Amino acid sequence: MKRTLAALLAALLLISLAACDRETPPDPEQPETPVVQEPEETPETPDDEAPEPPTETPDPVEPADDGAAVTDNVVSGSVEELIGYQLTMPQVDTGDQAVDQILNDYYTAAAGQLEDLCWGEVYEQALENLQAHNVTAQYTVERNGDGVLSIYRTVTVENLVTGDRQQTAHAETFQLSSGGLLTAADFFDADEATWTARLVEQVRRAISDDPYHDQSYYPQWSDLCASAFQREQFYVTDEAFVVFYQPGDLGPGGQTTFAVPWSSLSDIAA
């Protein structure tokens, strides 16, 4: 009996211990405490060193002499390896967008006409004898101030095999305030017959003063000065009204531009 009681007590003790083990939960894993990084303090900027707010880009300032900025605009290409061309045209910036549009559209159209020349007449010449040609266009600014822009241009077509060259001259004079194209009559306070006669007279005088004019000009050069005169063939400088002729109009080797001083035109100038 005692043995049986002892066995029962031992069994109850084991059961109690097992129950205690089941009731005590395991310790949960403690989460890591996040490390909080303190932000760096931004030093205060003293009032006298505070950065200035960005300013807007100012509008272009017109030159003091009431002129324009002129840069090169180069158009180049080739036509079936027979024609190469490089056309240098002016790109004008007056500070007035509307005026710039007028002037630059004018020279864009002029470059397009020269490209048509390369693909047309010059290409036909090259095909006749299968000789390569080169076409170049250049310009010079003759007057750029007092509201007037005057540009003189030359176009040269050269046979690269024979070396023959053909050149033509062009010029434009613009009123910068409006972009309008000025004519020769705008510079004279007289009728066309009067200022035309004066200009032709001045050209004849310049040729006669050339000691070699008999060698450089055709024998009939005096008559040609009037018959070959074209009123749109002019440009202006600060010192003169310049008349020009096409190469060969007055002779095979004579000069083609004649500067008539404003002082000799003072009585008829506008």
Side-chain angles (χ1 to χ4, degrees):
M1 182 69 176
K2 290 182 179 179
R3 291 180 181 175
T4 303
L5 182 61
L8 288 173
L9 290 174
L12 289 172
L13 180 61
L14 289 175
I15 293 170
S16 299
L17 292 175
C20 290
D21 291 340
R22 288 195 300 269
E23 290 175 359
T24 305
D27 293 337
E29 294 184 2
Q30 296 295 326
E32 294 184 2
T33 303
V35 178
V36 179
Q37 186 173 0
E38 295 292 334
E40 295 182 2
E41 293 184 0
T42 302
E44 294 183 359
T45 304
D47 293 339
D48 57 348
E49 295 181 6
E52 296 181 0
T55 57
E56 296 181 359
T57 303
D59 294 330
V61 178
E62 293 188 4
D65 62 352
D66 198 19
V70 182
T71 55
D72 291 349
N73 180 28
V74 180
V75 179
S76 59
S78 61
V79 182
E80 296 185 4
E81 299 184 356
L82 277 177
I83 311 295
Y85 58 88
Q86 182 166 324
L87 315 175
T88 304
M89 291 289 177
Q91 182 80 19
V92 184
D93 182 4
T94 65
D96 186 320
Q97 186 175 2
V99 172
D100 294 345
Q101 186 77 37
I102 293 171
L103 301 184
N104 294 322
D105 282 353
Y106 182 95
Y107 286 113
T108 297
Q113 291 173 354
L114 292 178
E115 286 188 285
D116 290 342
L117 175 72
C118 294
W119 284 87
E121 181 179 340
V122 179
Y123 182 52
E124 291 176 1
Q125 293 176 7
L127 285 178
E128 287 182 2
N129 43 29
L130 293 179
Q131 294 177 343
H133 287 63
N134 191 49
V135 180
T136 56
Q138 299 290 334
Y139 74 92
T140 55
V141 177
E142 300 295 340
R143 182 174 178 179
N144 185 16
D146 296 328
V148 173
L149 176 65
S150 195
I151 291 177
Y152 178 66
R153 300 185 290 118
T154 57
V155 179
T156 304
V157 180
E158 181 180 8
N159 186 316
L160 297 180
V161 177
T162 65
D164 292 339
R165 292 160 56 95
Q166 301 173 358
Q167 190 173 81
T168 56
H170 312 266
E172 299 84 28
T173 300
F174 298 97
Q175 185 177 49
L176 289 176
S177 61
S178 64
L181 190 63
L182 298 173
T183 68
D186 293 320
F187 292 90
F188 297 103
D189 188 17
D191 59 82
E192 183 174 332
T194 299
W195 58 261
T196 296
R198 179 72 64 84
L199 294 174
V200 170
E201 174 190 350
Q202 293 294 318
V203 172
R204 285 173 175 155
R205 181 174 298 178
I207 294 177
S208 64
D209 289 344
D210 180 359
Y212 302 102
H213 69 268
D214 290 339
Q215 302 173 26
S216 303
Y217 299 92
Y218 299 127
Q220 66 276 26
W221 61 264
S222 182
D223 293 335
L224 291 173
C225 286
S227 62
F229 176 86
Q230 300 291 330
R231 61 184 181 180
E232 69 273 9
Q233 293 184 172
F234 80 95
Y235 58 85
V236 297
T237 69
D238 291 336
E239 297 79 21
F241 184 96
V242 183
V243 174
F244 67 88
Y245 293 80
Q246 297 301 326
D249 279 355
L250 304 180
Q255 75 181 84
T256 58
T257 60
F258 302 88
V260 182
W262 291 114
S263 58
S264 64
L265 303 170
S266 60
D267 59 321
I268 61 173

